[in-house]
Amino acid sequence: MSIIQNLKNNVRSRSIHVSFVNVGSCNGCDIEILACLAPRYDIEQYGIYVHNNPREADVLLITGAFVEQWDDKLLNLWNKIPDPKVAVTIGNCPVSGCVFNRRGSYVNPPVSKHIPVAAEIPGCPPRPTEIISTILSVAPLIFKDYEEMDKK
Ligand code: SF4
């Protein structure tokens, strides 16, 4: 493993980098994710940082009922995220399609059919506290893999 990669792994193993994608939501869940960034919940105090580059992400948050336009795109995006990584779905939509799953609609839930999902946060929408606690609960999955990568 290169020095740069070692450094990067050390830094990343002490913080959690999160990207998020909307695969067909009403934006209700997306607003709750944004609320996590605001001073009231201040997600960064837990060492969780949100940005848009999947190549730097550890955790992918997914909102929405999975509309057909995402058929190939979500897997492509998932493949861009380096290991170790986990996906977490936000709200009822990625699990059941929620209010969008009706006869004649073009949604294809659950998201877990398209990429591996480590945790699902139910709710329409879930609370910011539930989102933050779930991200923290999946962190050991990432850190465990880092420890195993360090041993190689
Ligand atoms: S779960 Fe509810 S709030 Fe979240 S995207 Fe679906 S309909 Fe909107």
Side-chain angles (χ1 to χ4, degrees), residues 135-146:
I135 294 171
L136 292 172
S137 76
V138 298
L141 296 174
I142 305 159
F143 297 153
K144 176 176 77 64
D145 282 355
Y146 270 117

Side-chain angles (χ1 to χ4, degrees), residues 43-118:
I43 201 170
E44 291 190 357
Q45 71 181 299
Y46 305 102
I48 303 170
Y49 300 94
V50 180
H51 54 79
N52 280 333
N53 184 356
R55 293 183 197 282
E56 298 293 331
D58 306 303
V59 178
L60 181 64
L61 300 182
I62 303 154
T63 62
F66 201 93
V67 292
E68 60 181 9
Q69 285 87 347
W70 280 93
D71 266 342
D72 53 344
K73 294 185 187 77
L74 182 62
L75 183 60
N76 282 344
L77 194 153
W78 176 246
N79 288 337
K80 286 188 170 95
I81 301 175
D83 288 321
K85 59 187 172 185
V86 293
V88 174
T89 62
I90 313 284
N92 293 342
C93 275
V95 178
S96 66
C98 201
V99 292
F100 299 109
N101 200 355
R102 299 178 178 194
R103 192 186 308 171
S105 65
Y106 294 95
V107 297
N108 191 11
V111 164
S112 58
K113 204 162 67 180
H114 306 278
I115 60 167
V117 170

